[in-house]
Amino acid sequence: QQLGANHFDGDHHTSLIKELSASEFSYIPKSEKFTTENLEKAMSFEEKALREEHETSMDGFVGATTSNVHGVSFPLSEEDSKKFSLLTDGKVEYLEFKLADEKLVASKSKDKVSVDELAGELPEKEPRYVFFTYNHTHEGKDLSYLFFIYYCPTSSKVKQRMIYSSGKASVIEYASKAKV
């Protein structure tokens, strides 16, 4: 089994802690997520302006895609690799990784974390990779969705943002090997 975009129930990319709140964190099934109507609803005025600017500047552009861009693989200790099982066994809802001394390290785990508490778990000025199980009840049904959150605040150092961006693929690969 290969881990990829189809493996997760959803994803949430954010650079602002305030975006990790119950009011901002809504689940839209992938089949509905990328409709023009839903994208328009989710975009701020600034995002719409940037999209329009980008579309205008890219008219007629034919260039390379990012599909062949590979990241940097950071080593993960056997001990930290085993922490994925806490997530798959349902013992934790929150599993956070950081890069330290050119290694991927499981820096924090919590057995229960609500969406409202999620933002409080993350540092203000440092990127993180987070696996978050969103357990909730909707219309009388208990639901559970696994999210991979790549958190990279704009207040972090440029070097950190570049390193974390290039290491994202290796984190997903480790999770895949652990059958997350």
Side-chain angles (χ1 to χ4, degrees), residues 66-79:
T66 59
S67 61
N68 294 323
V69 175
H70 298 284
V72 176
S73 184
F74 293 95
L76 177 68
S77 72
E78 178 107 9
E79 181 182 334

Side-chain angles (χ1 to χ4, degrees), residues 1-26:
Q1 179 184 18
Q2 184 176 0
L3 181 67
N6 293 330
H7 182 76
F8 294 101
D9 296 307
D11 56 11
H12 189 74
H13 293 243
T14 180
S15 57
L16 302 172
I17 284 185
K18 70 179 184 175
E19 293 174 335
L20 292 172
S21 65
S23 63
E24 294 286 333
F25 195 83
S26 62

